[in-house]
Amino acid sequence: MKQSQNRVFVVEDDPSMRNALKNLLRSVGLEAQLFASAQEFMESGRPDMPSCLILDVRLPGLSGLDLQRELTRANIEIPIIFITAHGDIPMSVRAMKAGAVES
């Protein structure tokens, strides 16, 4: 299979979910780079190519919403797709106030 010119970053603390997302993305020709924590993602060197971020809201340490805030502060613009098994209204409001949109 040809190397993708796009990258999807996945930040998810559950190893089985990370692997499932990697396999799903690979099935549609996208390369995933996986991270177990927001801190690990922030410390990584990201390649200069079109990319997006699949981000779990609830992570140990720096949460997904905290990471969204840190990326904004650092002027790092990357589309974020939030995922969670434990969402609620206040969490959605916080994400939207920080720039998330519903689609």
Side-chain angles (χ1 to χ4, degrees), residues 9-13 18 33-38 40-42 44 46 53:
F9 300 107
V10 176
V11 181
E12 166 62 63
D13 61 322
R18 274 196 314 271
Q33 188 170 343
L34 309 176
F35 302 93
S37 70
E40 186 182 334
F41 173 76
M42 288 297 287
S44 73
R46 289 175 294 284
L53 173 60

Side-chain angles (χ1 to χ4, degrees), residues 64-94:
L65 294 173
D66 293 335
L67 177 57
Q68 178 193 30
R69 185 184 64 241
E70 292 301 314
L71 292 171
T72 300
R73 283 185 185 162
N75 290 321
I76 298 172
E77 295 184 14
I78 183 170
I80 300 173
I81 300 166
F82 282 107
I83 58 173
T84 186
H86 308 284
D88 57 27
I89 301 288
M91 187 182 299
S92 298
V93 169
R94 182 174 168 198

Side-chain angles (χ1 to χ4, degrees), residues 28-60:
V28 294
L30 295 171
E31 185 176 337
Q33 188 170 343
L34 309 176
F35 302 93
S37 70
Q39 189 64 36
E40 186 182 334
F41 173 76
M42 288 297 287
E43 293 171 356
S44 73
R46 289 175 294 284
D48 185 22
M49 64 176 54
S51 59
C52 72
L53 173 60
I54 297 177
L55 178 58
D56 189 3
V57 173
R58 292 193 178 191
L59 296 166

Side-chain angles (χ1 to χ4, degrees), residues 2-16:
K2 183 181 170 190
Q3 181 80 5
S4 173
Q5 295 302 308
N6 303 308
R7 183 74 46 94
V8 178
F9 300 107
V10 176
V11 181
E12 166 62 63
D13 61 322
D14 182 298
S16 62

